[in-house]
Amino acid sequence: MRGLVFTVVYYILSVLYVLVSLPFLILPGRGPVRMIIRSYTRAMNLNLRIVAGIRKEVRGRSNLPDGPFILAAKHQSWGDGYLIYPEVKNLAFVTGDHLEKFPLVGGILRKLGAIVIDTCGGGDRKAASLKEGMARARDEGQRVLIYPEGHLAPVGYHFRYKAGVWHMAQAMNVPVIPVATNIGVFWRQQKRDKTAGTAIIEFLPPLDPNLPKAEFLQTLTETVELHTARLVAEATGAPVEPSILIPDPPKGMEASPSSDDLTAFGKP
């Protein structure tokens, strides 16, 4: 019942804030729409706390620099963006163009300065859309949120961290802040059911963007996955277990390994 009520409130808030944003899309500047969307994410945080029983705790704010930076975050749930967005001012984010299929959302994304990746135009167009978005973010001094795995990962697993975040850091010459979370314990991927508890977002010390690509990706993966495993153990009371690498799903934004897959992935 908790999950059903949360979902109803979720869609009411989403439609309401989209409609409120529309008149401001024609105005110059990003300020009004950003303010509205920050209000929307705060309202969704209240929905999580009051309806779903999921409280939020933020750790490591002191690791966020004053200027522009990249947040490289663990992606366990549709809810992690709602937890992160109101904590960081002037935040853009990287997303696939799948979100533009929702009515009116495309205009809001562009107004927010989101880096929308063209996933339908082939590798060249995908790279070009990322490059264009990075240049705009750099020129505007934005902070950028990216999910390096590219997919929603089930708790206890991870996908290969993609090199796009390293290329972004090189192009923008800004530090990368790893972000760990355990929200997937309480709101799993895109699932409707919710479990009450405290979801933690942890901003970790910056990584040097000038590290060689292979070393950077290994350090980022180990840092995010280790701290995420610790947060999951804190939430569940279970021992800390390293996450298991699984192959990317053939399509879509999430992967849910079946019980038959667990042994193949190395988990008893």
Side-chain angles (χ1 to χ4, degrees):
M1 178 60 71
R2 172 185 283 132
L4 176 61
V5 175
F6 174 87
T7 300
V8 170
V9 177
Y10 173 94
Y11 281 109
I12 290 173
L13 287 173
S14 298
V15 171
L16 175 63
Y17 275 92
V18 165
L19 294 176
V20 169
S21 298
L22 292 182
F24 297 95
L25 296 182
I26 61 173
L27 297 178
R30 308 190 191 278
V33 173
R34 276 198 180 140
M35 183 176 65
I36 291 167
I37 298 305
R38 282 176 68 83
S39 176
Y40 165 62
T41 56
R42 290 190 179 107
M44 203 62 73
N45 278 226
L46 283 175
N47 187 22
L48 280 167
R49 187 173 76 220
I50 295 171
V51 177
I54 300 174
R55 299 175 298 279
K56 177 172 82 168
E57 179 182 338
V58 181
R59 299 176 182 174
R61 285 191 180 95
S62 61
N63 289 318
L64 298 177
D66 292 332
F69 51 81
I70 295 170
L71 295 176
K74 182 66 181 175
H75 198 19
Q76 292 179 333
S77 167
W78 267 18
D80 46 35
Y82 290 112
L83 299 185
I84 293 171
Y85 193 88
E87 301 300 324
V88 181
K89 293 182 179 179
N90 195 21
L91 182 64
F93 50 90
V94 178
T95 181
D97 53 8
H98 63 284
L99 288 180
E100 293 193 316
K101 70 183 180 182
F102 296 103
L104 309 175
V105 171
I108 294 174
L109 290 176
R110 288 188 290 273
K111 197 66 171 178
L112 287 173
I115 301 174
V116 181
I117 305 301
D118 185 345
T119 58
C120 300
D124 290 343
R125 183 56 205 153
K126 184 176 181 179
S129 60
L130 179 59
K131 184 176 180 180
E132 292 162 6
M134 287 190 300
R136 185 181 65 248
R138 183 184 61 240
D139 293 344
E140 296 182 5
Q142 290 181 303
R143 290 84 178 264
V144 179
L145 169 64
I146 185 171
Y147 297 112
E149 294 170 277
H151 303 281
L152 284 165
V155 171
Y157 299 89
H158 73 276
F159 300 106
R160 179 179 60 85
Y161 281 52
K162 314 302 188 293
V165 62
W166 181 81
H167 289 292
M168 288 181 66
Q170 292 287 299
M172 297 177 67
N173 193 29
V174 296
V176 175
I177 313 299
V179 185
T181 184
N182 62 5
I183 189 174
V185 173
F186 311 104
W187 180 354
R188 294 181 295 117
Q189 296 175 298
Q190 302 178 66
K191 302 300 186 289
R192 189 181 75 180
D193 292 342
K194 308 291 183 296
T195 301
T198 300
I200 301 170
I201 292 289
E202 185 173 8
F203 300 113
L204 301 166
L207 299 183
D208 181 358
N210 295 313
L211 289 173
K213 181 169 67 173
E215 181 181 352
F216 175 91
L217 291 174
Q218 180 179 354
T219 302
L220 176 64
T221 302
E222 292 174 351
T223 299
V224 172
E225 293 303 318
L226 173 60
H227 285 81
T228 291
R230 289 173 176 171
L231 295 179
V232 168
E234 182 177 337
T236 62
V240 176
E241 294 187 4
S243 62
I244 294 172
L245 175 66
I246 56 176
D248 285 3
K251 57 184 177 180
M253 285 298 293
E254 75 171 68
S256 298
S258 68
S259 57
D260 293 337
D261 292 327
L262 297 183
T263 301
F265 292 148
K267 197 166 190 173

